[in-house]
Amino acid sequence: MKARPTPAATLSTPYRDALPAQIVFRAATLSAPASYPRHRHAWGEFVYAYEGVIELQFAGHQLLVPPLCGAWLPPELEHRGLNRQAVVHASLYLAAPLCAQLPAQACVLTVDPLLRALLERWRQRPPEPARPPDARQLQVALDLLHEAQPSGSYLPGSRDPLLAPLLEALSANPADPRGLADWARQLHSTERTLQRRCQQQLGMGFTEWRSRLRTVRALPLLSAGRKLDAIAHELGYASAAAFIALFKRQMGVTPQAYRRGVNGPG
């Protein structure tokens, strides 16, 4: 008998009516599957993933937030958060007046190495806004967020009738080796048309999107301790070396370094 899927736990949002300070940091470890219900708040929220992938849904759109990336949610945006695997994440909540210099639309933001270091530091000891040293660090984080560049979704989707079947097939089988010319023949289109649709709908080329998909799928396998050769084979890489090179280009660290960060030394 086929096992029933585990129902997702419904989580409570941490603040209902007001923030306890102008800038608030909060970290959480969530088992899977779990979700925050659809909600909105008067303050902005920057979401950062330490481990696992966070999925944010709003107004028919989706943002994926893999480790080392962050997502910005402006004030009053109705949204829902969920995780399909265990995840460790942090949020920086910003009072509405502090959000004026940040994007008016939800987006993925590049994470400066200094901001990443602060978030890692606060993971061990959350800052207390009432303490002057912590208040200064929180202000630095705000300044870095103001300078961060938006980059859309890390792994955008599309409902385009030509592109959607391709993305769904790759999502079901990331190891599929077919190139864009092969897909064009199957979809009764041309390679140029598909490439143009990718740029228009996804903001990137076919090869880049597939690399990001494979990177997202590699994260839980690394966390589970799978060998690099096995992961490379499962995701369609020609070799472990190719997997390592592309993973480092996407995430800024090698798979081994990512695994050490998730599981600790050893």
Side-chain angles (χ1 to χ4, degrees), residues 1-257:
M1 179 180 295
K2 187 176 181 179
R4 294 181 179 179
T6 303
T10 301
L11 307 169
S12 299
T13 54
Y15 306 107
R16 298 293 297 273
D17 302 316
L19 293 175
Q22 290 290 98
I23 309 175
V24 178
F25 170 88
R26 173 180 174 269
T29 300
L30 308 177
S31 58
S35 67
Y36 289 99
R38 192 169 297 278
H39 65 286
R40 68 171 71 218
H41 38 66
W43 47 87
E45 181 180 359
F46 173 73
V47 184
Y48 178 82
Y50 295 109
E51 305 167 20
V53 178
I54 303 167
E55 185 176 335
L56 299 170
Q57 298 176 346
F58 55 94
H61 298 283
Q62 168 186 282
L63 289 180
L64 290 180
V65 189
L68 310 182
C69 292
W72 168 245
L73 301 173
E76 302 296 349
L77 175 71
E78 186 177 68
H79 61 280
R80 173 175 180 255
L82 64 152
N83 57 289
R84 302 177 192 278
Q85 293 92 28
V87 64
V88 182
H89 75 95
S91 289
L92 269 177
Y93 301 101
L94 307 179
L98 303 180
C99 302
Q101 297 181 47
L102 283 153
Q105 305 296 324
C107 62
V108 171
L109 293 176
T110 56
V111 180
D112 181 276
L114 177 55
L115 178 56
R116 186 176 301 144
L118 286 170
L119 293 167
E120 287 291 344
R121 175 187 178 93
W122 296 337
R123 182 181 182 181
Q124 306 302 320
R125 188 190 71 78
E128 301 174 17
R131 294 183 68 248
D134 288 352
R136 289 192 291 270
Q137 291 179 18
L138 289 166
Q139 182 62 50
V140 169
L142 176 62
D143 292 340
L144 293 171
L145 284 178
H146 285 163
E147 296 176 357
Q149 297 299 311
S151 59
S153 175
Y154 180 81
L155 189 68
S158 173
R159 296 179 181 176
D160 180 272
L162 182 60
L163 206 55
L166 188 162
L167 303 184
E168 291 171 3
L170 281 176
S171 295
N173 179 21
D176 193 316
R178 286 176 289 180
L180 205 55
D182 298 318
W183 283 108
R185 285 191 292 271
Q186 178 170 326
L187 297 171
H188 308 291
S189 182
T190 66
E191 186 173 0
R192 179 176 295 181
T193 297
L194 281 182
Q195 190 65 273
R196 184 173 64 251
R197 294 284 181 93
C198 285
Q199 291 294 340
Q200 291 173 344
Q201 297 288 322
L202 308 176
M204 65 189 72
F206 167 80
T207 301
E208 174 67 13
W209 192 90
R210 183 167 60 184
S211 294
R212 292 188 180 200
L213 172 66
R214 289 175 172 177
T215 297
V216 167
R217 295 299 177 82
L219 299 177
L221 301 179
L222 287 166
S223 300
R226 292 282 299 278
K227 293 183 178 180
L228 297 187
D229 285 338
I231 295 174
H233 176 74
E234 182 170 333
L235 296 179
Y237 291 96
S239 65
F243 165 57
I244 292 169
L246 287 171
F247 186 94
K248 184 175 182 180
R249 180 174 66 82
Q250 289 288 337
M251 302 301 296
V253 296
T254 65
Q256 298 94 323

